[in-house]
Amino acid sequence: MSKRVKHIYEFGPFKLDLEERRVLGKGNETLNLAPKVFETLLLLIERRGNVITKKEMMNVLWPDRYVEEANLSQNIFLLRKALGESQNEGRYIETVPKRGYRFAMPVIEIQEEVGPDITPREAEPTPDVKENPARRRAQGVTSLAVLPAIIEGSDPNLEYLAAGICDTIIISLAQLPQLNVISRSLVSRYKGREINAQEVGRELAADTVLVSRFLSLGTILIITVELVEVSTGWQLWGEQYHRSFADILKLQDELATTISEQLLIKLTKEEKKRLGRHYTQDPEAYQAYLKGRYHWNRHCADGYEKAIECFLEAIALDPSYALAYSALANSYVLFDFYGLVPPLEIGPKAKNAAMNALLLDDTLAEAHLALACVKMMYERAWSEAEREFLRAIELDPNYAQARNWYSHFLMAMGRIEESLTQSQLALKLDPLDDSINHYLGWHYIHARQFDRAISQLEKTLANNPEFFLARVTLGMAYVQKAEFEKGIAELTKAAEQDRLPVVLGFLGHAYGMASERDAALQILEELEDLARRTYVPPYSIGLIHAALGEQDEAFEWFEKAYAAQNEWLNWLKVTPEVDSLRADPRFTTLCRKLKLIPDQAA
């Protein structure tokens, strides 16, 4: 006898029980919600993170009759009151001016087995009506997990090609408001595994699962795809495609459209247009782009360097490829954090790529994010940077990296609580993304919450022990907590993994803070020797002098970092590594030059 499953949404101290249609608060007390108020909350939760227009909400809540907007406003008012939220607080329900509402609180979706399903076997759906569960779900919001493709055969190109096509399907379908598409980071754990689609779907709390297999035979690509309903284990749809590599673009569109149709989602003209949108007609350029994305997702210096090469190749094949330009710009920015190329060299390249992307398509969220990062990192044009961040988020509220980088910006400005909100939203949108998890740890360091930072970074490294930046940042956190032995151990591991000048700077700083002067001077000597042969971020050398109490030398190198547009200097206002310098008038002068404080603050 099968077990019955309860669907529960947890947020803050509250639980929404979907089957029993009730909300429990503190002490498991039931909130007294009118039916329409409950439906309003359920709608917001199911489409959490997305802006839902007032018109759309009224159409869903009152589908058969005309109502005034005041009815919706009253529901929102009563709901906020029940949740203990003030009108302008936005902790649970965020008002988006002139647009609608967004549910802002992180939500955990749980499925609980609560007992046997006593439905008689005779009442079970027969195969000829197996589409009915999907039809019922299509009346609301369906959750879909697109699992990593299973690679068959030994073609080395298949891995990046398959990963790219699955990622593109995720991105395309995530634009549909009727679908909650499980993030790439959550499904990536199943890569390379033979899986039971129904079991995986339950683990991911998905309604449906897309499973695909890729095989190449010469110039022919064979893709087998099936859509599995999690509640029953039925195959809702399956197909095998035999296509040439030149037909990948068409196949990608066909898959996205067919999947939406099989889930009985009625697409608007605009949604059909978006699903079928091409940024290039050149299959070779598209393959180069997919290869770049594959290397990008490795989150390491070598990965970003190879991604840059691939995106440049895609642009050479198709100079009008807006998506490749925006990806190139963001790759330059990410690569710069490793301190291998002078910012004065890489900054103009990043800006040129971002501007080219926007000239080709001003509605591309990734391009606005790239320009925002350029404005923040290299030009320190703070108001222009924030405008571009907000534009990227407006174009795609579910764009996790836009919120992640906006959190970086807010931290630089000293707006710590706002930074945390954006970081948490990014994490909710993409819970297992390495860079987003790492940044939350980095946030806690700058918020002086070192225990939280250590806990978050250890969790990040548990998911990916090879994630270089997370290990560096963990070392930084231990140093700030004065656990110098642990901090030096982590930074030493990172230096063994890749002895970059940035890592050496933090390692030398750690030795200085631990009063191991000789070891700090040895690192300083190594960096100065490296600087004669290659680029070394001046900020890294300044950090060591600061830890050694050599303030004159520290400010001398920080001035060099300012002249060189060294991006690490942008967080000077909040970074704890320079706390010993804050009382010096030169610190205020430097912050003013960086436009981190207004002139009158002197």
Side-chain angles (χ1 to χ4, degrees):
M1 183 177 290
S2 63
K3 291 187 176 180
R4 187 164 55 89
V5 177
K6 287 182 68 174
H7 297 262
I8 295 173
Y9 296 100
E10 290 188 356
F11 55 98
F14 300 102
K15 292 182 180 180
L16 184 151
D17 188 320
L18 185 58
E19 277 66 38
E20 296 186 11
R21 296 185 67 79
R22 63 174 180 157
V23 177
L24 302 177
K26 295 178 181 177
N28 282 332
E29 294 182 1
T30 301
L31 272 62
N32 186 19
L33 299 180
K36 283 296 180 188
V37 177
F38 177 89
E39 291 174 18
T40 303
L41 175 60
L42 180 59
L43 175 61
L44 286 164
I45 288 176
E46 287 181 331
R47 304 193 190 181
R48 54 195 178 273
N50 297 308
V51 177
I52 314 176
T53 66
K54 293 178 181 180
K55 181 179 180 181
E56 183 181 3
M57 291 186 75
M58 289 189 290
N59 287 339
V60 172
L61 295 170
W62 294 278
D64 302 320
R65 62 191 179 96
Y66 172 82
V67 297
E68 297 286 345
E69 190 177 301
N71 293 63
L72 176 61
S73 299
Q74 178 69 6
N75 277 7
I76 295 293
F77 171 79
L78 293 172
L79 189 51
R80 281 177 167 151
K81 184 177 180 181
L83 298 176
E85 177 178 85
S86 63
Q87 181 69 19
N88 299 316
E89 185 178 357
R91 183 158 46 105
Y92 294 99
I93 304 168
E94 177 187 352
T95 300
V96 182
K98 298 182 180 180
R99 294 188 64 193
Y101 301 98
R102 178 194 292 120
F103 196 80
M105 175 67 67
V107 175
I108 300 173
E109 190 170 346
I110 300 172
Q111 291 186 345
E112 293 182 350
E113 292 184 340
V114 295
D117 186 344
I118 58 174
T119 304
R121 182 167 297 275
E122 293 75 26
E124 292 181 0
T126 54
D128 60 331
V129 293
K130 68 180 182 181
E131 74 278 2
N132 284 344
R135 188 178 301 279
R136 290 195 298 271
R137 287 196 313 273
Q139 296 172 359
V141 177
T142 298
S143 59
L144 170 68
V146 180
L147 298 186
I150 299 168
I151 308 299
E152 298 179 339
S154 57
D155 187 340
N157 292 322
L158 267 188
E159 186 171 358
Y160 78 78
L161 195 64
I165 290 175
C166 288
D167 283 354
T168 303
I169 291 173
I170 289 174
I171 293 168
S172 297
L173 293 177
Q175 300 176 62
L176 303 178
Q178 307 96 317
L179 267 180
N180 281 334
V181 183
I182 307 297
S183 68
R184 178 189 177 278
S185 65
L186 280 174
V187 299
S188 63
R189 74 181 85 167
Y190 301 102
K191 180 180 177 181
R193 291 166 49 184
E194 286 285 347
I195 50 88
N196 179 301
Q198 191 174 17
E199 291 178 3
V200 169
R202 286 170 179 162
E203 290 175 13
L204 295 171
D207 295 317
T208 50
V209 172
L210 184 75
V211 181
S212 59
R213 295 176 181 271
F214 282 66
L215 173 67
S216 66
L217 295 177
T219 60
I220 300 298
L221 181 65
I222 302 174
I223 305 179
T224 304
V225 188
E226 64 172 331
L227 197 61
V228 178
E229 182 177 68
V230 174
S231 62
T232 64
W234 281 326
Q235 184 193 71
L236 297 176
W237 164 74
E239 189 67 73
Q240 188 174 83
Y241 298 87
H242 293 243
R243 301 293 171 83
S244 69
F245 282 82
D247 287 334
I248 290 175
L249 284 165
K250 293 179 182 178
L251 175 60
Q252 169 195 303
D253 293 345
E254 187 176 340
L255 283 171
T257 302
T258 303
I259 292 165
S260 62
E261 289 173 350
Q262 293 299 324
L263 293 173
L264 303 177
I265 294 173
K266 187 176 181 180
L267 301 176
T268 65
K269 289 183 179 179
E270 180 59 31
E271 287 166 347
K272 289 179 181 178
K273 183 179 177 181
R274 272 184 299 188
L275 284 182
R277 186 175 190 178
H278 286 310
Y279 284 95
T280 183
Q281 299 296 329
D282 188 323
E284 291 185 12
Y286 181 60
Q287 289 182 53
Y289 172 80
L290 292 182
K291 194 169 186 178
R293 281 294 182 189
Y294 172 80
H295 288 299
W296 164 298
N297 286 322
R298 292 166 53 203
H299 297 305
C300 62
D302 178 64
Y304 294 128
E305 191 170 21
K306 288 182 178 176
I308 288 169
E309 293 174 5
C310 293
F311 295 138
L312 285 171
E313 180 186 350
I315 290 166
L317 291 164
D318 183 356
S320 64
Y321 200 167
L323 210 56
Y325 279 112
S326 63
L328 175 64
N330 279 310
S331 296
Y332 280 132
V333 169
L334 291 163
F335 184 55
D336 189 24
F337 265 95
Y338 293 85
L340 296 172
V341 180
L344 287 170
E345 176 184 331
I346 209 167
K349 292 180 179 179
K351 184 174 183 177
N352 182 61
M355 293 302 295
N356 279 331
L358 288 169
L359 285 171
L360 290 163
D361 185 355
D362 187 55
T363 67
L364 197 55
E366 187 180 50
H368 284 279
L369 173 60
L371 184 58
C373 289
V374 168
K375 294 290 182 182
M376 174 180 71
M377 302 269 285
Y378 309 115
E379 299 181 3
R380 297 172 181 132
W382 305 116
S383 60
E384 294 177 33
E386 183 163 26
R387 184 172 65 244
E388 293 297 328
F389 281 124
L390 292 174
R391 178 60 175 152
I393 292 170
E394 179 187 17
L395 287 166
D396 186 355
N398 292 325
Y399 189 8
Q401 287 299 338
R403 295 189 179 278
N404 184 39
W405 276 100
Y406 185 38
S407 183
H408 281 64
F409 168 86
L410 293 166
M411 178 58 74
M413 297 295 99
R415 293 155 61 181
I416 294 174
E417 289 303 316
E418 292 178 73
S419 172
L420 180 60
T421 296
Q422 292 298 323
S423 186
Q424 289 174 332
L425 283 171
L427 200 62
K428 181 178 71 172
L429 290 166
D430 210 344
L432 292 182
D433 181 270
D434 288 337
S435 62
I436 293 174
N437 274 276
H438 160 254
Y439 173 71
L440 181 57
W442 190 83
H443 167 95
Y444 285 137
I445 290 177
H446 290 76
R448 272 57 174 186
Q449 298 177 16
F450 304 125
D451 286 329
R452 283 189 173 185
I454 290 167
S455 175
Q456 176 64 27
L457 292 161
E458 286 179 340
K459 183 177 73 172
T460 305
L461 283 167
N463 290 330
N464 183 0
E466 301 302 315
F467 190 23
F468 177 77
L469 282 182
R471 191 165 302 283
V472 173
T473 311
L474 178 59
M476 293 164 60
Y478 276 126
V479 169
Q480 291 307 315
K481 200 185 172 190
E483 295 187 20
F484 300 119
E485 186 175 346
K486 291 182 179 179
I488 289 169
E490 293 296 336
L491 289 163
T492 300
K493 286 180 188 176
E496 290 170 352
Q497 189 175 343
D498 201 337
R499 205 167 180 81
L500 298 175
V502 167
V503 184
L504 293 176
F506 285 112
L507 179 57
H509 175 268
Y511 279 128
M513 295 296 291
S515 299
E516 296 188 31
R517 184 177 180 83
D518 290 343
L521 290 174
Q522 187 175 346
I523 295 291
L524 195 58
E525 184 179 343
E526 182 178 351
L527 283 174
E528 290 172 345
D529 180 59
L530 274 173
R532 298 185 188 98
R533 294 178 279 111
T534 186
Y535 172 71
V536 171
Y539 181 81
S540 299
I541 296 177
L543 271 185
I544 300 175
H545 285 297
L548 292 171
E550 299 170 352
Q551 294 197 355
D552 290 344
E553 291 83 354
F555 280 111
E556 177 186 347
W557 281 98
F558 287 157
E559 286 290 343
K560 292 179 180 178
Y562 170 77
Q565 293 181 343
N566 196 172
E567 75 286 340
W568 287 93
L569 204 62
N570 293 349
W571 288 272
L572 193 72
K573 185 177 180 178
V574 291
T575 189
E577 283 85 9
V578 297
D579 282 353
S580 62
L581 305 178
R582 294 185 185 278
D584 193 306
R586 290 172 292 184
F587 186 86
T588 302
T589 300
L590 183 54
C591 282
R592 193 179 301 122
K593 289 173 70 173
L594 291 163
K595 302 176 185 176
L596 293 173
I597 57 175
D599 289 340
Q600 61 266 30

